[in-house]
Amino acid sequence: MSLSPITRNAEIKDELSALVREDAFRSLTPDQIEYFKGVGTVEKVPAGTMLYTAGGDEYDFFVILSGLVHFIDPTEDGDGLIGKADENAFIGELGLLSGQKPFITCKVMEDAEVVRVTCPQLRETIDQNPEIADVVVSAFSARREVLMKTATANLTILGPETDPGVMRALEFVGRNRIPHRWLDPESESGKRMVKRLELDPNTVNVVLRGDHVVQTPDNPGIAWAIGMNLEVDDGTNADLAVIGAGPGGLAAAVYGASEGLSTITIENTAIGGQAGTSSRIENYMGFPTGISGSDLAYRGQIQSIKFGALFAAPRTARALEPTEKGWRIKLCNGADICAKSVVVATGVQYRRLPLTRLEEFEGAGVYYAATDLEARFCKNTEAIIVGGGNSAGQAAMFMSRHAKHVHVLIRGAGLKSTMSSYLVQRLENHPRITIRPHTEICQLHGERSLEQVTIKNNQSGETQDISTRALFIMIGAAPHTNWLDGRCMLDEKGFIVTGEKAGGRSQFETSCPGIFAVGDVRSGSVKRVASAVGEGSVVVSAVHQYIDELNARG
């Protein structure tokens, strides 16, 4: 068997090779191939046949017994060859399990004999055969990373990178692990696409498979256009609905699905929540060299999908209504989901500064996440971080690798009471990081994007202008609870009260039987990733107890 990657980008070839060797192109044993022969259908496929096409609805799992197939990225440049596979390789990608349409095309180049396995058959195999599950799920996950790094042209986002709409689109597809590429309209490839498709180079253009254009779409519009089949039908029923896919919500989804509960997770933006915007988490047990919040969340999502959990994203829960058999979750698109129990894990968001022109510069110099996407704007400039928590400290360390200098602005006298000591020590001893106590921002300056900020020392009253294209606001935490509209008891800051204070029968039950809360949105919770994961895993036992009682009542 040989399955070799062919990439158009020589710079990432070495990076891909290790991934290819270890996970992406793992093969099945003879016994596992025989197993699939008993599950699926053996077919002879002539050369020229498309096993599936990018964006198409037909998408099955294949084991190649003989012959040759090519993986093709639909693009206007060249033949778009990404890779090829022959005898004993298996064909498929994460979209098979998550319900997404394929991002590439698979074409039979030489007469082949294959085993066709439908999605339900593959799901049953993963549930019943852990050895095959380990091989297939690991390969699917790694193959998605390969597609991400090859910058597939199946989805092209064209527009100026300083445009907030372009940033929003890139953040959405990046955090949701949707293979894509960005084209600068001033680049040679960008100019050709602008001319060929008659695009407006000054706005957001989403180009699918080289020719289908969607201009200035919102996130749901992008999801719909690329066939992210992560929606659920109106009236879908589940044992457990998890609202929010941060660490707490993902843990609840993993444990709920693995313990036999039909589980659906609703997320309005991207998997990972606020933690997903962190460039590096170093104090999470089991990762001594650290892990990005996005990677940690991605692994959690893969785990939950492996056990059969469904995801509806981007979808926003806007109300909860009681029913005879649990709760109805009303979604922003008009659909309803019915669930016997609900775990609210909607987390928190950074508070916004009361600054003139703030909204104007959001996505154009003002950011609330610190990932590789935002890091590009720190090159050859100074970066400013506002905030004194761990997220701010991690952002400062990460951006110090890209910016000329990083300024950390805090209103208090120091960081020791708000930030982990290891981070404080690193910030204090870093030559390109300056901690500025008793300091806040008073003005933002720039034309179409941020160019300069004015800061003020509240003790001395002195002001200073700093030229910057990257301001990161990471202050405070406002809970996502407005949508509950008084359904559950909240504390004075808007966090959900649980346990005895709310009349709940368990630590995580709210004032409404059958509705539970975990993670940062819960009143009194410890605002740490590990704590949220622990709460999300523990709450499932209380969910089981509630559902058992509900079923007993008929």
Side-chain angles (χ1 to χ4, degrees):
M1 188 275 285
S2 69
L3 205 166
S4 57
I6 300 176
T7 173
R8 297 181 298 276
N9 189 340
E11 294 179 358
I12 63 173
K13 200 167 185 179
D14 292 339
E15 185 177 0
L16 284 177
S17 63
L19 186 60
V20 168
R21 286 196 303 269
E22 295 177 12
D23 282 323
F25 301 131
R26 297 172 68 179
S27 59
L28 298 170
T29 67
D31 287 344
Q32 290 169 340
I33 293 174
E34 288 300 315
Y35 185 97
F36 275 118
K37 285 183 179 180
V39 170
T41 304
V42 178
E43 301 178 4
K44 292 187 181 298
V45 186
T49 301
M50 301 293 187
L51 293 180
Y52 52 80
T53 58
D57 293 324
E58 297 295 326
Y59 195 17
D60 291 324
F61 177 88
F62 295 93
V63 178
I64 303 176
L65 303 179
S66 64
L68 174 69
V69 301
H70 279 186
F71 305 107
I72 301 167
D73 180 6
T75 172
E76 76 278 12
D77 298 323
D79 59 11
L81 182 61
I82 293 178
K84 45 191 172 182
D86 54 20
E87 184 179 358
N88 294 339
F90 62 93
I91 298 173
E93 194 262 339
L94 188 61
L96 272 170
L97 300 180
S98 64
Q100 294 172 336
K101 293 181 179 181
F103 296 108
I104 58 175
T105 293
C106 183
K107 182 178 182 179
V108 178
M109 305 304 294
E110 298 176 359
D111 290 351
E113 186 176 33
V114 303
V115 182
R116 181 189 294 268
V117 180
T118 66
C119 288
Q121 291 170 335
L122 179 62
R123 166 59 62 192
E124 186 175 356
T125 298
I126 289 174
D127 289 341
Q128 297 179 359
N129 193 314
E131 289 78 17
I132 289 180
D134 288 344
V135 174
V136 170
V137 174
S138 295
F140 281 6
S141 176
R143 290 173 186 182
R144 176 60 62 89
E145 293 302 297
V146 169
L147 290 177
M148 290 293 294
K149 294 183 186 303
T150 55
T152 172
N154 175 63
L155 171 65
T156 299
I157 296 174
L158 182 145
E161 65 178 350
T162 55
D163 185 292
V166 172
M167 279 294 296
R168 174 186 49 76
L170 288 172
E171 180 184 20
F172 173 71
V173 296
R175 290 188 59 192
N176 282 288
R177 291 300 209 278
I178 305 302
H180 67 281
R181 67 172 177 170
W182 168 70
L183 275 187
D184 185 340
E186 296 300 318
S187 68
E188 290 304 315
S189 295
K191 289 178 180 178
R192 288 198 302 270
M193 180 172 281
V194 167
K195 182 178 180 180
R196 181 171 61 86
L197 299 177
E198 298 181 345
L199 304 177
D200 179 356
N202 297 313
T203 189
V204 186
N205 299 275
V206 175
V207 182
L208 303 172
R209 295 174 289 282
D211 57 10
H212 179 61
V213 180
V214 183
Q215 287 192 332
T216 61
D218 57 11
N219 289 349
I222 295 175
W224 174 83
I226 64 177
M228 272 180 67
N229 189 23
L230 301 183
E231 298 186 31
V232 290
D233 295 330
D234 188 22
T236 295
N237 289 280
D239 293 323
L240 170 62
V242 180
I243 304 177
L250 287 171
V254 169
Y255 280 84
S258 68
E259 294 183 16
L261 298 176
S262 57
T263 303
I264 184 166
T265 303
I266 302 163
E267 170 55 44
N268 68 348
T269 305
I271 307 303
Q274 191 182 59
T277 67
S278 177
S279 58
R280 193 178 187 188
I281 301 172
E282 288 192 83
N283 57 354
Y284 189 77
M285 189 186 73
F287 296 92
T289 59
I291 183 172
S292 74
S294 177
D295 286 343
L296 183 64
Y298 180 58
R299 296 184 186 194
Q301 183 186 19
I302 298 299
Q303 267 186 301
S304 60
I305 290 174
K306 173 184 175 182
F307 290 121
L310 300 176
F311 281 79
R315 286 292 174 259
T316 302
R318 61 181 179 85
L320 287 173
E321 296 179 353
T323 68
E324 292 183 2
K325 296 183 178 180
W327 293 91
R328 177 181 290 108
I329 302 101
K330 303 188 77 64
L331 303 182
C332 59
N333 67 336
D336 291 348
I337 293 175
C338 295
K340 294 179 180 178
S341 61
V342 177
V343 170
V344 179
T346 46
V348 299
Q349 62 183 351
Y350 292 122
R351 298 185 187 277
R352 303 173 76 190
L353 289 171
L355 292 170
T356 304
R357 303 187 70 189
L358 177 68
E359 186 175 353
E360 177 184 345
F361 291 131
E362 288 178 328
V366 174
Y367 308 107
Y368 298 89
T371 67
D372 288 330
L373 180 61
E374 293 80 19
R376 72 175 72 181
F377 300 105
C378 289
K379 294 178 180 178
N380 302 317
T381 189
E382 300 194 28
I384 298 177
I385 315 288
V386 181
N390 275 9
S391 295
Q394 291 159 353
M397 290 300 302
F398 180 62
M399 293 305 161
S400 69
R401 289 187 256 161
H402 305 273
K404 290 194 298 185
H405 200 86
V406 177
H407 303 266
V408 180
L409 277 53
I410 55 175
R411 299 184 68 179
L415 295 168
K416 292 184 179 180
S417 62
T418 58
M419 188 180 294
S420 295
S421 60
Y422 80 93
L423 272 175
V424 176
Q425 292 176 18
R426 291 182 183 181
L427 265 59
E428 290 178 341
N429 291 284
H430 199 292
R432 290 195 305 280
I433 296 177
T434 299
I435 301 171
R436 294 177 174 268
H438 307 294
T439 303
E440 60 184 357
I441 293 177
C442 44
Q443 280 186 303
L444 306 176
H445 311 277
E447 293 185 11
R448 295 187 61 183
S449 60
L450 183 69
E451 298 173 7
Q452 186 182 77
V453 302
T454 301
I455 65 174
K456 178 182 179 181
N457 185 295
N458 291 326
Q459 280 193 327
S460 66
E462 294 180 357
T463 61
Q464 178 184 351
D465 291 335
I466 299 177
S467 297
T468 182
R469 297 195 310 272
L471 167 63
F472 300 87
I473 300 175
M474 297 178 168
I475 56 168
H480 285 288
T481 53
N482 290 341
W483 64 279
L484 289 170
D485 195 26
R487 175 67 64 185
C488 301
M489 182 187 296
L490 307 179
D491 67 13
E492 66 279 3
K493 294 182 179 179
F495 292 87
I496 300 176
V497 180
T498 61
E500 291 184 5
K501 292 182 179 179
R505 295 170 298 171
S506 68
Q507 181 182 359
F508 304 111
E509 191 170 35
T510 69
S511 56
C512 298
I515 299 180
F516 305 82
V518 299
D520 289 1
V521 76
R522 189 177 69 84
S523 178
S525 66
V526 178
K527 304 300 185 282
R528 290 288 187 271
V529 172
S531 175
V533 170
E535 292 184 9
S537 59
V538 171
V539 73
V540 173
S541 61
V543 169
H544 266 296
Q545 181 179 350
Y546 174 80
I547 291 177
D548 288 344
E549 294 173 357
L550 191 67
N551 291 337
R553 294 197 298 266

